[in-house]
Amino acid sequence: QSISKLILYYFQLPAIPKAGYMEILRLMKQDKKNTGTTLKLSLLNSIGNFSINNTVEEDIITEAIEYYNTLLT
């Protein structure tokens, strides 16, 4: 959570409207890390620590976008 607070302190980020969720998912499906219809992401675990090729379902991405929007209020 401290990373989120730091980012929000220094940057003015836009909210993502629900109408944009499907477009984000469509773009994410074009990433070269994906295999077939499986979405794979590189994720930041902590500053300087990351993991690659994490399989993520579309509903988790939607939940993450909604969480992101709550941080902006």
Side-chain angles (χ1 to χ4, degrees):
Q1 202 169 63
S2 61
I3 294 172
S4 298
K5 287 181 182 179
L6 184 66
I7 291 170
L8 292 171
Y9 180 79
Y10 285 104
F11 301 99
Q12 188 174 32
L13 301 173
I16 300 172
K18 282 195 181 278
Y21 292 14
M22 293 308 293
E23 179 65 9
I24 290 171
L25 286 168
R26 184 187 71 75
L27 293 169
M28 291 178 75
K29 290 176 183 177
Q30 297 177 17
D31 192 285
K32 64 183 175 186
K33 289 184 294 300
N34 299 335
T35 53
T37 58
T38 303
L39 292 173
K40 292 190 177 183
L41 305 177
S42 296
L43 300 173
L44 182 64
N45 300 317
S46 61
I47 295 175
N49 183 10
F50 64 93
S51 57
I52 60 172
N53 293 330
N54 296 281
T55 300
V56 181
E57 301 295 325
E58 288 185 24
D59 60 329
I60 298 297
I61 294 169
T62 300
E63 286 178 31
I65 295 169
E66 290 171 349
Y67 173 73
Y68 162 84
N69 280 334
T70 66
L71 294 175
L72 303 176
T73 58

